[in-house]
Amino acid sequence: MTTVQNLLKQELGENLRQSPEQVCRVFHGRGRFFPSFENLNIEWYPPVLFVQCYEGELSNNELSVIKEIFEEHEFIQSVLLQSRPWPDVENEVLFTRTSNKPELPLEFNAALDKDLLCKVSLGENRNTGVFPDMRSGWHWLAEHAENKRVLNLFSYTSVFSLFALKGGAKKVVNIDMCGSATKTAQLNHQINNLLDERVSIWKKNILKSNSQIAKQSKFDIIILDPPPFHKGSFRGWPDYQKLLRRCTKYLKDGGVIL
């Protein structure tokens, strides 16, 4: 095995051993910390290892390492490859411990931590229902949310909301314009017994909802995670600046924008 292969295998193995039962990103090649692996992210949705290849195909070296990891870790039930050169998406089950390859998409509730679950869908769309690279942000919010009012903008499936409520938030307002995402957000709160009076889930265009948000009592914490660009709704940096200015008006004195 080459030095490059050993690097990939070591990183994958260590991260899987640290979080064998929880959703996490176990290899972040797109962060450009690992030379020659810039096309690769690998995420762990127990019991599925989800390999995302952004350009071209997996190299023989990458495929060899992933096969070894699968064979060495019996808790991995399947390895799913998503090839995603923009704008195309192709999905293939590379390895599985079942007699037949499972049908796609793979949909199930995955553990975000020892207390929280989230619905995931693997093998159809680019987005899975979770962004595991936000894990440190989830934990920060859980540690700082007690008795706080939280505004979660571009909330997607509202994973941040789950952690805010786990941390004792007294109110969380989640806003996203995608109907399927807000439906999954409601389900995520239901499966964790968190869909109660503390939670609001709005299906709205955030940039067109200024007056409605401004009428709310001011917030202690605002989560702001927009897409780089979304045709017809978000224009990148110009709209981001506009939102930052608005968020300072939604925020209590001494509040935090994450």
Side-chain angles (χ1 to χ4, degrees):
M1 182 175 287
T2 66
T3 302
V4 171
Q5 286 174 290
N6 275 325
L7 180 65
L8 176 58
K9 185 177 179 181
Q10 179 179 352
E11 181 74 6
L12 271 174
E14 287 182 1
N15 288 330
L16 282 167
R17 283 189 289 272
Q18 287 177 12
S19 300
E21 298 177 352
Q22 299 174 12
V23 170
C24 63
R25 180 164 290 174
V26 289
F27 189 81
H28 188 56
R30 298 279 286 177
R32 302 188 181 278
F33 189 74
F34 301 96
S36 78
F37 291 115
E38 290 87 352
N39 71 319
L40 196 64
N41 279 346
I42 303 177
E43 297 176 347
W44 172 232
Y45 298 90
V48 181
L49 194 65
F50 186 51
V51 181
Q52 301 163 310
C53 186
Y54 285 79
E55 298 175 11
E57 300 178 351
L58 283 182
S59 69
N60 289 334
N61 283 344
E62 292 165 343
L63 188 60
S64 174
V65 170
I66 291 166
K67 184 178 181 181
E68 285 192 34
I69 288 289
F70 172 71
E71 291 174 346
E72 290 178 11
H73 296 80
E74 293 186 0
F75 54 78
I76 302 175
Q77 292 298 306
S78 300
V79 178
L80 175 62
L81 170 65
Q82 183 175 86
S83 300
R84 46 193 294 167
W86 186 264
D88 300 320
V89 176
E90 295 182 3
N91 297 280
E92 177 188 0
V93 177
L94 294 179
F95 311 111
T96 185
R97 301 193 191 279
T98 60
S99 55
N100 297 312
K101 285 189 176 182
E103 292 185 7
L104 300 179
L106 306 177
E107 296 186 322
F108 55 95
N109 296 333
L112 300 171
D113 68 3
K114 63 183 180 64
D115 300 312
L116 297 173
L117 299 171
C118 179
K119 181 183 177 182
V120 298
S121 179
L122 309 179
E124 184 174 27
N125 302 315
R126 285 178 175 271
N127 294 333
T128 65
V130 186
F131 292 109
D133 52 330
M134 294 291 177
R135 173 169 289 280
S136 59
W138 303 340
H139 291 164
W140 179 90
L141 185 57
E143 292 168 2
H144 292 83
E146 187 172 4
N147 294 320
K148 298 294 198 302
R149 288 177 51 80
V150 179
L151 176 61
N152 186 18
L153 298 177
F154 303 94
S155 56
Y156 188 38
T157 60
S158 295
V159 169
F160 270 109
S161 179
L162 303 179
F163 281 88
L165 294 164
K166 176 184 175 180
K170 63 181 179 182
K171 181 66 180 179
V172 185
V173 177
N174 302 280
I175 311 178
D176 198 286
M177 67 180 295
C178 175
S180 60
T182 54
K183 287 180 181 177
T184 301
Q186 289 181 322
L187 179 62
N188 285 338
H189 286 81
Q190 286 175 338
I191 62 179
N192 291 287
N193 296 314
L194 292 172
L195 191 61
D196 55 35
E197 68 280 354
R198 296 174 296 165
V199 182
S200 295
I201 300 172
W202 298 359
K203 177 183 176 296
K204 294 183 181 296
N205 183 319
I206 291 165
L207 288 171
K208 296 179 180 179
S209 303
N210 182 48
S211 61
Q212 292 163 294
I213 300 173
K215 289 177 182 176
Q216 301 288 305
S217 299
K218 290 194 173 184
F219 294 90
D220 302 282
I221 300 173
I222 299 176
I223 310 299
L224 181 59
D225 183 27
F229 178 83
H230 193 283
K231 187 175 181 180
S233 66
F234 196 81
R235 301 172 301 147
W237 182 236
D239 282 343
Y240 193 67
Q241 293 179 90
K242 182 190 298 184
L243 269 177
L244 284 171
R245 288 193 294 271
R246 289 183 181 179
C247 283
T248 60
K249 297 177 182 178
Y250 307 151
L251 196 67
K252 286 183 180 178
D253 291 342
V256 175
I257 299 175
L258 177 62

